[in-house]
Structure formats: C-alpha cells, structure tokens
Amino acid sequence: MADKDGNVSAKDYGVGVEPPGEVFPIKGAQHLDWGAQHRLAQMFNPASGNTVMLAFDHGYIMGPTSGLERLDLVIPPLVEHVDVLMGTRGAMRTCIPPTVRKPICLRGTYDASVLFEDMSDGGGLAADMVNAVRLDACAFAVQTFVGAPGERRSLETLARAVDAGSTYGIPILGVVAVGKQMERTEKFFLLATRLLAENGANVVKTYYCDGFERVTAACPVPIVIAGGKKLPEADALTMAYRAIAEGAHGVDMGRNIFQADDPAAMAQAVGKVVHDQYTDKQAFEFYQDLKA
Ligand code: R5P
C-alpha cells in the first residue's frame, strides 16, 4: 500500500519533452473511447493494420455446416493461426475454452434460418451488450439486409447495438448480407458499406467485388471480407489477395478456411496474404508446402 511518509521525492518530470502524440491507427476510430479503441487494437495487428477473423457462426442459421459438425474439435486447433474468433454465444460457452488468448467477436443477431425461402427478412438482437461484456467480447456483429425486406428492421437493430456498444465501449461489426435476390455489384456494396458505417458500425464486413478499391475508399471504417461459399484454395487466396491490395483491412472468413483440405494450413496462408504481403501465388505455394 502507498505510504504517507519516507517516500523518494518525485523529480523526473520530463520538462520540455513533448508527449508521444500517437495517432490511433485504425481507420475512423480516432475519436472512440479508450475501451473501444483498446478492443479494436486487440483485433487488428499493429504491424500490418489488418486482421484474420475466423468466422464459425454459420450454425446460427445453417445448423451443423460441413466442417463445423464439432466446433469443440475443429476450432481450438485453428485459434493460434488467426487473430479474432467470431461466433455465437452458445458456441463460445460450450465449445471454446475460456483460456484462449484471442479476442472474441460475438455474433449479436439472430436471423431467419435456411428453412425459410427468404432469409433476408431481418432478425433482431440475439444478445444484449451486458452479455457481450460477460463474454469479454471485443466486437459485436450485427447482420443487415440493405435493399431487402429486412432492411428497416436490421438497421434499427444496428442503431440500438451502436447505442449500447457506445455505452459499454464495444465496437460494432456491421455485416452486409447478400440474399438470393440481392445484388453483388460495386454499386450495391458502395451503398451498403457506406450506409452501415454512417449508421455507426466501427468495422464493416462485406463481400469482394469488382471495383473494390472504390468500396474501401468510400467507407470511413475498416472493411473485412467474408469468404462466401467454398472455393478452390488457390482462388480463395486470390480473392483475399485482391481484397487486401484494394484496401481491405482483413478477412472474416469461414468456409474457405474450415472446409479447406487442411484448415490450419489455409488459415496460415490467408495470414501471409493479410499480414505479410504475400501474393496469392506465394501464399498458395506456402499452403501446399504446409498441407498435411
Ligand atoms: C454470415 O452470415 C456468416 O455468419 C459468416 O460469418 C460469414 O458468411 C463468413 O463466413 P464465410 O466466409 O463462410 O462466408
């Protein structure tokens, strides 16, 4: 405990030395509270400024997806190769050891399951922000349906999550959904990503498209790309490479990692593109060398 008497006198005041004046490096996050910045700083690698998020929340609408039949067996071996774990609270509480030292992005919304013809109807909050704090979440993901029947409802959900996230210092990941009837054009992604950022999302997850450099330029917060359906590994690495070269700050990738022939090798190859400026060709060679 501090003592009242007998202390060494303070004298090293650094008179004339300017404070470090560090500028917070994550796009659009300079004016967030310290807690929110601290959480974002855990997600984005300080050297590359980018992140490899592993998405394994598919069960929340798809049930036991191929590759994720046993989260407790599949996810723990991948943890060391990625920067952030993205999943539902049920998955975290049942299948992910709390000893993992990686930040969590909590899937914060529920949505219509794959049993419904139109999944873009819009869902709602699956957890409140107090639960996100209990789960030690570094980010809270909200699915949105821009241009679809669920647009209004999902934007309302986003707004409420942004309010609560601001109260607790938890950044919001706005997710651009692409339903059956929804476009996958530059025009659509320009609109949807900007719309989510302007409605308060601190990071936006979307899909890669032609003209992606304009999408990332027009979005005032970092963009990470989803992988989408499984592609051959070389193609998935090409998509990641192009996204990073055109301004993405990382990936939030699921099936193209956990459905790969060798998921651990694929996670590391994606990391080489995202953090170490590997080309897609170099990353694929790296993958083949590592592949079990
Ligand atoms: C989105 O709705 C899903 O929940 C996944 O988080 C997302 O699609 C990313 O996974 P994948 O790379 O498999 O598309």
Side-chain angles (χ1 to χ4, degrees):
M1 125 178 207
D3 290 296
K4 188 164 181 283
D5 303 314
N7 292 306
V8 176
S9 298
K11 57 179 183 301
D12 191 5
Y13 295 102
V15 174
V17 180
E18 288 297 320
E22 185 180 297
V23 176
F24 190 67
I26 296 170
K27 192 178 183 185
Q30 291 79 5
H31 305 297
L32 296 180
D33 285 345
W34 193 92
Q37 290 188 340
H38 188 246
R39 289 186 172 94
L40 285 172
Q42 292 174 59
M43 296 171 63
F44 290 86
N45 179 301
S48 66
N50 296 337
T51 184
V52 176
M53 301 175 66
L54 176 65
F56 53 92
D57 58 332
H58 304 61
Y60 95 110
I61 50 173
M62 295 167 72
T65 317
S66 170
L68 291 185
E69 293 87 346
R70 287 285 302 270
L71 291 171
D72 57 336
L73 302 180
V74 171
I75 302 303
L78 298 178
V79 169
E80 66 178 299
H81 305 305
V82 299
D83 301 304
V84 180
L85 304 176
M86 184 203 185
T88 61
R89 61 177 166 182
M92 298 302 174
R93 285 192 171 123
T94 57
C95 301
I96 308 302
T99 46
V100 294
R101 297 175 65 84
K102 290 288 163 78
I104 301 300
C105 174
L106 179 66
R107 154 63 64 188
T109 48
Y110 68 85
D111 288 297
S113 79
V114 288
L115 294 177
F116 284 79
E117 181 57 27
D118 188 357
M119 294 165 61
S120 57
D121 190 37
L125 284 178
D128 62 21
M129 217 48 78
V130 171
N131 257 278
V133 171
R134 284 212 177 102
L135 278 155
D136 199 21
C138 273
F140 187 94
V142 175
Q143 190 95 344
T144 61
F145 298 92
V146 175
E151 178 177 291
R152 249 174 221 266
R153 192 135 60 96
S154 63
L155 292 181
E156 168 69 17
T157 302
L158 173 66
R160 298 291 71 80
V162 170
D163 284 344
S166 302
T167 301
Y168 292 96
I170 300 199
I172 304 302
L173 172 74
V175 182
V176 176
V178 284
K180 263 188 196 156
Q181 285 87 33
M182 293 156 78
E183 293 181 65
R184 287 177 180 246
T185 60
E186 175 188 342
K187 187 177 165 200
F188 171 73
F189 288 122
L190 269 168
L191 182 141
T193 54
R194 180 65 173 265
L195 199 146
L196 297 200
E198 296 226 14
N199 277 286
N202 305 108
V203 181
V204 170
K205 168 173 166 173
T206 189
Y207 291 83
Y208 180 74
C209 64
D210 290 338
F212 198 65
E213 69 274 21
R214 287 183 285 278
V215 176
T216 57
C219 184
V221 300
I223 285 187
V224 294
I225 62 154
K229 286 182 189 151
K230 171 77 172 67
L231 301 168
E233 284 80 355
D235 295 350
L237 290 167
T238 296
M239 179 173 65
Y241 170 72
R242 287 188 182 149
I244 297 296
E246 294 169 28
H249 282 280
V251 301
D252 185 11
M253 196 174 260
R255 288 162 286 184
N256 279 291
I257 291 178
F258 61 71
Q259 292 177 350
D261 286 344
D262 184 333
M266 188 61 179
Q268 290 172 79
V270 171
K272 290 293 179 194
V273 169
V274 169
H275 295 308
D276 297 329
Q277 299 179 323
Y278 273 37
T279 64
D280 45 349
K281 190 168 174 296
Q282 289 170 320
F284 186 58
E285 283 166 11
F286 175 85
Y287 171 73
Q288 285 181 307
D289 289 345
L290 269 189
K291 200 172 123 183

